[in-house]
């Protein structure tokens, strides 16, 4: 375990130093592995891992823990509400835990997460280390504009390094801009990745790009071309690897219109349909257009207002959207629908500022049935993020990065459409819809649009 421990120490050092740069951890690992092999040849004590390295002639990969680094970050964020994850790494003699550092208003919260079962352990809160206050302040000023958080940065890197294990991740400043650095161990070698927080664009660095080009048999001229084109070349590949088949900020939709293939309907509709359209909102997460219900056009308290599509087919995976409750006397807020068969049959997760709660339901034959509920502080006029994850009959729902709801239900076992929902007179705006694990639906000619990445 010696070469592993060298890497865990590196990850802990970046946390102790208030998020100092951890790039080069992969190289440190390889050097440690070389020293271990040399010690083995000299008759030093060798464990099971060293024997495997001797047989293979290369560094043995670390076995993947039961809880991933990305999941550890998610669990820590749920515990540290209002804090943003800025660094995380493995720790412990047997690599049996993670330490996650989160930042808020000049305070750092460090949380230990058990890598075997995900249980939260030690929690420490302190001020930013002396001399790092200005750096921390710059991070906090820039982080709200990031569309990719540290958890997703780790997922993006792992999608590129198939079969790898993430060992450390952190947010940093380069030329005054935010960037994520993620260290992954794959096939016994350290791989360094840089991810753009604004776009999710991925760059392969030390230990990865050279090996990749060798396997592909690329010529030197092609290598130079890849260096010149930079990170964007990997954008579609990592989206495909993560299963992201629909992503929409609505910025490319003209104001007043709707995304192609979307329709406006109502459950238990009384009176005219609501008005849904794309409108400009410079304060939105995307800093551009949003899809909004601008007028309900009716006074029915029982109507569910829908804007949805069956061209994106979803069964298992994750859906998330940003929502801003705008107004409503009887109702406010809204949420997501998924596995929708039609306007009367679907799952729905919604947030309501008037009731200060967050709930998940199923709607069958136009009748709504509650599956789970939690109290939540939801501010009208502010942006919030709803995320739904489903696998089989298990549903988990998060609000602003905190998992609040879990339910088991098999009412709709098959794939279905996805969309947006409000109730009664609730006027709300939606932005940055993202669906992972979806498939294309039917084109106008009835052909399946499977295997395509749909961006709307």
């Amino acid at each position: 375990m010696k070469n592993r421990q060298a890497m865990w120490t590196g990850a802990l050092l970046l946390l102790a130093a208030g998020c100092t740069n951890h790039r080069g951890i992969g190289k440190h690992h390889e050097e440690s592995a070389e020293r271990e092999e040399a010690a083995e040849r000299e008759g030093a004590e060798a464990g099971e891992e060293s024997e495997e390295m001797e047989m293979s002639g290369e560094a043995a990969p670390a076995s993947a823990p039961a809880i991933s680094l990305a999941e550890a970050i998610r669990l820590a964020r749920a515990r540290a509400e209002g804090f943003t994850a800025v660094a995380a790494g493995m720790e412990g003699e047997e690599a049996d835990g993670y330490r996650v550092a989160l930042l808020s208003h000049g305070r750092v919260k460090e949380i230990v997460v058990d890598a075997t079962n995900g249980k939260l352990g030690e929690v420490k809160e302190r001020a930013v280390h002396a001399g790092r206050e200005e750096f921390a302040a710059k991070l906090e000023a820039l982080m709200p504009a990031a569309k990719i958080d540290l958890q997703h940065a780790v997922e993006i890197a792992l999608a590129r390094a198939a079969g790898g294990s993430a060992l450390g991740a952190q947010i940093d400043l380069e030329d005054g801009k935010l960037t994520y650095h993620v260290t992954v161990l794959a096939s016994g070698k350290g791989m360094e990745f840089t991810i753009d927080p604004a776009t999710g664009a991925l760059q392969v660095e030390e230990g990865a790009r050279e090996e990749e080009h060798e396997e592909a048999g690329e010529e030197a001229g092609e290598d130079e071309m890849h260096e010149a084109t930079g990170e964007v070349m990997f954008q579609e590949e990592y989206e495909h690897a993560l299963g992201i088949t629909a992503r929409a900020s609505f910025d490319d939709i003209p104001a007043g219109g709707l995304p192609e293939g979307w329709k406006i309907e109502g459950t238990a509709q009384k009176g005219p349909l609501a008005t849904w359209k794309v409108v400009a909102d410079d304060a939105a997460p995307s800093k551009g257009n949003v899809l909004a219900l601008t007028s309900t056009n009716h006074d029915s308290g029982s109507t569910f207002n829908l804007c949805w599509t069956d061209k994106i087919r979803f069964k298992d995976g994750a859906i998330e959207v940003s929502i801003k409750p705008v107004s409503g006397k009887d109702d406010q807020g809204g949420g997501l629908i998924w596995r929708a068969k039609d306007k009367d049959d679907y799952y729905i997760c919604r947030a309501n500022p008037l009731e200060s709660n967050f709930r998940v339901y199923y709607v069958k034959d136009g009748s709504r049935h509650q599956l789970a509920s939690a109290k939540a502080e939801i501010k009208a006029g502010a942006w919030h993020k709803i995320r739904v994850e489903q696998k089989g009959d298990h549903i988990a729902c998060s609000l602003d990065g905190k998992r609040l709801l879990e339910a088991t239900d098999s009412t709709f076992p098959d794939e279905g459409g996805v969309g947006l929902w409000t109730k009664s007179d609730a006027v709300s705006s939606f932005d940055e819809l993202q669906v992972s694990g979806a498939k294309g639906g039917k084109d106008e000619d009835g052909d399946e649009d499977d295997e395509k990445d749909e961006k709307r």
Side-chain angles (χ1 to χ4, degrees), residues 112-133:
V112 172
V113 181
D114 192 309
T116 61
N117 55 31
K119 290 184 178 180
L120 301 183
E122 180 184 38
V123 179
K124 290 183 178 180
E125 185 171 339
R126 58 172 170 80
V128 171
H129 284 299
R132 303 294 288 173
E133 296 91 347

Side-chain angles (χ1 to χ4, degrees), residues 196-210:
D196 187 332
T199 64
L202 173 69
Q203 177 182 1
V204 183
E205 296 185 355
E206 296 178 16
R209 180 172 285 163
E210 181 178 350

Side-chain angles (χ1 to χ4, degrees), residues 180-203:
Y180 293 115
H181 296 298
V182 181
T183 300
V184 174
L185 183 64
S187 301
K189 294 184 178 180
M191 304 172 72
E192 301 288 338
F193 297 92
T194 297
I195 294 97
D196 187 332
T199 64
L202 173 69
Q203 177 182 1

Side-chain angles (χ1 to χ4, degrees), residues 196-270:
D196 187 332
T199 64
L202 173 69
Q203 177 182 1
V204 183
E205 296 185 355
E206 296 178 16
R209 180 172 285 163
E210 181 178 350
E211 178 180 310
E212 179 182 86
H213 291 172
E214 289 175 356
E215 290 177 355
E218 295 177 298
E219 300 295 332
E222 292 177 304
D223 289 346
E224 293 172 0
M225 180 272 291
H226 285 307
E227 292 292 338
T229 55
E231 292 74 71
V232 179
M233 56 182 285
F234 297 117
Q235 181 79 10
E236 290 186 3
E237 182 172 339
Y238 92 75
E239 287 195 359
H240 178 73
L242 286 179
I244 297 175
T245 50
R247 181 192 298 277
S249 66
F250 307 111
D251 293 340
D252 56 348
I253 309 298
L258 287 177
E260 182 183 354
W262 286 61
K263 51 193 173 185
I264 299 171
E265 292 186 316
T267 305
Q269 183 68 42
K270 294 181 180 179

